[in-house]
Amino acid sequence: MTTRLPKKDVVIIGLGWTGSIMANELTGEGLEVVAIERGPWRDAPTDFPPTYMQDELRYRVRHELFLRPEQLTFTFRNKMDQTALPIRSWGAFMPPNGVGGGGVHWNAEMWRFLPSDFVLKTHLTERYGASFLPDDMTIQDWGITYDELEPFYDRFEYLCGTSGTAGNLRGQIMEGGNPFEGSRSRPYPTPAQAQPFSHTLFGKAARELGYKPFPQPSGNLSQAYTNPLGMKMGPCTYCGFCEWFGCSNYSKASPQTTILPYLVRKPNFTARDNSEVIRINLDRSGKRATGVTFVDTSGETWEQPADLVILSAYTLFNVQLLLHSKIGRPYDPVAGTGTVGRNYTHQTISTVNGFFDPKKFNFNPFIASGAIGMCIDEFNGDNFDHGPHGFVGGGYMGQVQTGARPIESTLVPPGTPKWGAAWKSAVKENYLSTVKPGTGVHGSFYAYKDIYLDLDPTYSDRFGRPLMRITMDLKENELKQNRFLTDKFAEIIKAMGASKLDVQYRKGPYDITTYQTTHLNGGAVMGSDPTTSVINRYLQSWDVPNLFVLGASAFPQNAGYNPTLTVGALAFWAATAIRTKYLKSPGRLVDA
Amino acid sequence: MKRDSQFEFCRRQLLLAGAAYFVLGASHSGATVIYDHLPWTPNAGNPPPPATLGPWHFFTGDEGRTVEALADRIIPPDPDTPGGKDSGCAVFLDRQLAGPYGRQDGLYLRPPFLKGARNQGHQSDKGPAQQYREALAALTKSCRAKFGGKAFSDLSDADKDRVLEDLEKGKLELDGADGKAFFDQLVKDLQTGFFADPIYGGNRDMVAWKMIGYPGARYNYLDWINRHNEKFPLPPVSLTGRAEWTRAER
Ligand SMILES: Cc1cc2nc3c(=O)[nH]c(=O)nc-3n(C[C@H](O)[C@H](O)[C@H](O)COP(=O)(O)OP(=O)(O)OC[C@H]3O[C@@H](n4cnc5c(N)ncnc54)[C@H](O)[C@@H]3O)c2cc1C
Ligand code: SF4
């Protein structure tokens, strides 16, 4: 039995980063908005208070704040001729769940993409010629430029209070910032965070090698900040329990700290938690969404009618809901037709651990924040000549160590036994003098013909719907890119004074069991051509114009940066298009 | 059997292990409609319940002895720091196996269970609890056959280490269990217990944290962020503070 609820102007699927931004923008227009969130309401006093939040076993190892695969998971294979098997427990990535989405437990590393990233296909073809790109690579331009997005990058940074040092202020290169970044209209809202010892050493070593190191832009705030909505955030205390954890301190930018307390007080906003949307409903023409159907945790089914549907459920769930709702044409890599599920990508991550002489170095590595770090950008995007190297893409790299929680951060130098007396004494000896950058090399991941999402023929979820199938591998281009970047990174760690290095290249095949990042992209990409994109440049569905799809599912391929600043900027950009264009005359904003 | 009765569903413990469960209809997991104000309720927090001391929850007496012996070879005692046994790593593993981790709570367990590539992840309806049970039995059997009827815990340290090395190298096949996979999981689980907060039963009196110089569940290093290459002077604290503040001895 389905209970039909009174109609709203807008229904939002998922109250994470993008859902919160959109809810706030559209309630600002006077619309009646309801947001439906799969997981529970979450806040600092209840879910991650300072009395017991610092619990590595609970939050990191058993990942308390995340979705349970029992509720929903995916199947995975490397190649099209393999049988995909279900991801029974999370590994390569960790899907968020609950109000605030990934914003609750992200690091808050807040990067802008390069101007050339948005016109990638055009840029690379012009510079290197089309034959430089692998045959099966399906990269494309975004249909939007950096300059168009800049004001919205700025808005998201000022919403979050982002701490950083500008590198390019209105076209002028600034000392101490990232000289490769696109021009920004304003400095960062707050100055960069202070840096612990090892991060500072990385900066020094990089400078001496001729690079231009700069502090990583951070949503862990260097000082108190009041955002444009009047939300007040406190300074980060470098507690070292940031990513995987919620911030008890109101210092990490999240929907909870930057939007929700303001949004909830608006009379035209309602949220429903513990309610999973299972379908976007269409009218008989199939061209108009009529609302959504959701099931709450007691098993009851509800229908929420609405004039406008915002799909903001995170990359994988966005694509999965489009497939289950039969919106758009599923991608078929053999026939080369369809778009939904096409150009799925991840991030090419690797690291180098450095072991230093404990008599000379004490890093107090537990003192850090989620987005701390000194980085260089010389090897990102097309900031260097790829001609001699035979690959495209790149990434930033840096000492971005976020703490030293001991279950994960008790490393021993290569060659040490993994257990026993020798292991134990090596752990004791090295803990305070080891550099463990984590995602030290943060490389791009470009799109390929046979890396995609579709529905699995065998496995199903608790409603009997097919699971979504991930076909994903690391291609030679990404592996080459990673070898090149990791070697450069190792040189810097060595120059810091490390006596031993543990160089951990990213190797193929893609492994679903080891965590890389939760930067999943594509599958419902934006663009200017409906035969190669699911949504137009305003994130509006080509097929169902009263549906907008937010999130990194829109990325045609992934750049060598973390996604969320771009994801948030695109949400503001889409909201502005809805406010200024769509509401005046609801319908397609771009002619197909 | 005793161990099965330990599989009772205690909501608090479930939440502790991260099951914000869609199948359970208790306060925090019930669907709510939120408007007008933040939905804060007093005492709605969910602190972890401490692992209780006392008899095994999951292991039989023999299994417990074996795991303590394993723990003391994987993390051997030394003059400064106790080993796996005295630091409580076997107790930690026992409580974990008796709880959601052992049961694979929250994991996707729908069939079919097919054998796949290693990089497709664990594909079995057997959870860690059952796997440990089988592997420990197989280990005992193997030791008894090789060492004149002796169980693992009765072997000399050198023989114990030889068994472990063989398991690690995949040279020792266990009857009906993957010896190498068991070894990797065992090392990982015991070392996890050694470094986890003492509230879970291992790392007793924060011995592991004292050993490495980790100050524990602190929350504010603002005064220390700019003090470089200087040793942080404060001793560790755990989620329950320090043992000497709360009880005379453990
Ligand atoms: C550990 C970790 C660290 C990260 N660190 C960084 C970082 O440093 N920098 C960075 O840029 N990015 C980082 N990310 C990624 C970042 O969290 C995401 O990019 C961001 O949250 C995406 O925003 P979103 O709105 O698309 O999705 P989310 O914020 O995840 O929100 C989606 C919401 O939709 C809900 N939902 C899903 N399906 C349904 C459904 N069917 N019905 C109802 N609700 C549904 C989910 O529960 C979720 O709350 C990190 C992620 C993780 C997991
Ligand atoms: S590191 Fe800073 S922002 Fe992150 S959880 Fe700790 S106090 Fe909060």
Side-chain angles (χ1 to χ4, degrees), chain A residues 54-320:
Chain A
Q54 311 88 319
D55 186 340
E56 186 182 12
L57 182 73
R58 177 180 188 173
Y59 293 102
R60 171 60 186 101
V61 180
R62 307 276 185 250
H63 37 88
E64 162 114 2
L65 297 172
F66 292 82
L67 180 66
R68 303 285 126 187
E70 178 182 36
Q71 181 163 356
L72 191 57
T73 188
F74 310 93
T75 65
F76 161 74
R77 60 179 181 178
N78 287 126
K79 303 226 178 311
M80 288 173 66
D81 60 7
Q82 260 180 307
T83 303
L85 297 181
I87 304 173
R88 297 190 181 276
S89 64
W90 301 126
F93 53 80
M94 198 76 57
N97 195 42
V99 170
V104 168
H105 47 62
W106 70 327
N107 307 59
E109 300 169 338
M110 301 190 66
W111 294 85
R112 295 181 175 203
F113 286 10
L114 296 169
S116 58
D117 286 330
F118 294 95
V119 287
L120 188 70
K121 180 75 184 284
T122 307
H123 174 90
L124 292 178
T125 329
E126 277 173 6
R127 182 161 178 191
Y128 303 106
S131 63
F132 195 69
L133 303 176
D135 284 342
D136 56 347
M137 189 182 266
T138 52
I139 54 173
Q140 60 196 47
D141 295 356
W142 291 54
I144 183 178
T145 62
Y146 175 85
D147 289 342
E148 286 176 302
L149 203 55
E150 200 285 330
F152 304 96
Y153 270 140
D154 178 84
R155 272 187 75 185
F156 194 33
E157 284 168 350
Y158 273 74
L159 182 86
C160 293
T162 314
S163 300
T165 306
N168 179 344
L169 194 55
R170 293 182 287 273
Q172 202 183 333
I173 302 302
M174 310 291 289
E175 192 55 39
N178 178 4
F180 296 96
E181 71 172 356
S183 169
R184 54 173 61 249
S185 48
R186 284 195 279 179
Y188 281 99
T190 56
Q193 286 198 282
Q195 299 290 336
F197 181 35
S198 66
H199 306 63
T200 313
L201 264 191
F202 181 91
K204 188 166 165 280
R207 204 171 301 111
E208 284 165 7
L209 288 170
Y211 302 121
K212 297 218 154 45
F214 55 91
Q216 174 165 242
S218 166
N220 320 132
L221 299 202
S222 59
Q223 61 183 45
Y225 177 72
T226 305
N227 83 1
L229 303 180
M231 299 292 103
K232 291 183 197 306
M233 296 168 69
C236 163
T237 59
Y238 306 91
C239 80
F241 292 91
C242 206
E243 84 283 18
W244 310 105
F245 303 80
C247 180
S248 315
N249 230 5
Y250 303 90
S251 310
K252 171 159 72 175
S254 65
Q256 277 76 356
T257 53
T258 65
I259 302 175
L260 294 173
Y262 176 81
L263 173 64
V264 164
R265 279 175 285 173
K266 292 182 177 180
N268 51 343
F269 176 74
T270 310
R272 287 176 171 267
D273 69 352
N274 287 308
S275 298
E276 181 176 348
V277 171
I278 56 166
R279 187 170 58 245
I280 299 165
N281 301 315
L282 302 178
D283 72 2
R284 235 177 266 142
S285 75
K287 302 270 171 236
R288 197 183 151 71
T290 56
V292 303
T293 299
F294 65 94
V295 180
D296 70 19
T297 40
S298 65
E300 238 176 290
T301 307
W302 306 77
E303 187 191 333
Q304 176 63 66
D307 286 329
L308 180 61
V309 177
I310 304 293
L311 178 53
S312 51
Y314 187 68
T315 309
L316 288 171
F317 307 107
N318 286 350
V319 180
Q320 176 239 347

Side-chain angles (χ1 to χ4, degrees), chain A residues 52 55 58 62 64 68 70 76 78 86 88 195 237 248 271 273 297 362 364 420 424 459-460 462 510, chain B residues 15 18 29 32 34 46 74 76 81 96 106 108 110 112 119-120 123 168 191 200 219 221 228-230:
Chain A
Y52 58 77
D55 186 340
R58 177 180 188 173
R62 307 276 185 250
E64 162 114 2
R68 303 285 126 187
E70 178 182 36
F76 161 74
N78 287 126
R88 297 190 181 276
Q195 299 290 336
T237 59
S248 315
D273 69 352
T297 40
N362 179 342
N364 289 330
K424 195 181 178 199
Y459 292 94
S460 54
R462 63 196 174 110
Y510 181 89
Chain B
L15 278 172
S29 62
T32 48
I34 297 144
N46 182 28
I74 288 168
T81 308
Q96 292 293 310
Y108 181 85
R110 285 170 202 272
N119 70 341
Q120 288 181 300
Q123 300 288 334
E168 181 177 26
Q191 291 177 348
Y200 297 109
Y219 202 55
Y221 296 113
H228 291 173
N229 215 7
E230 233 183 285

Side-chain angles (χ1 to χ4, degrees), chain B residues 134-169:
Chain B
E134 291 174 5
L136 288 170
L139 177 67
T140 302
K141 198 170 145 202
S142 158
C143 289
R144 287 201 198 284
K146 253 201 205 122
F147 298 98
K150 282 190 189 164
F152 181 83
S153 52
D154 297 328
L155 304 183
S156 68
D157 282 354
D159 282 343
K160 284 178 188 160
D161 285 357
R162 195 145 355 108
V163 170
L164 285 172
E165 278 158 21
D166 287 349
L167 279 176
E168 181 177 26
K169 293 192 187 116

Side-chain angles (χ1 to χ4, degrees), chain A residues 57 62, chain B residues 91-103 200:
Chain A
L57 182 73
R62 307 276 185 250
Chain B
V91 176
F92 167 85
L93 182 55
D94 175 72
R95 304 304 191 260
Q96 292 293 310
L97 291 176
Y101 167 70
R103 291 190 299 260
Y200 297 109

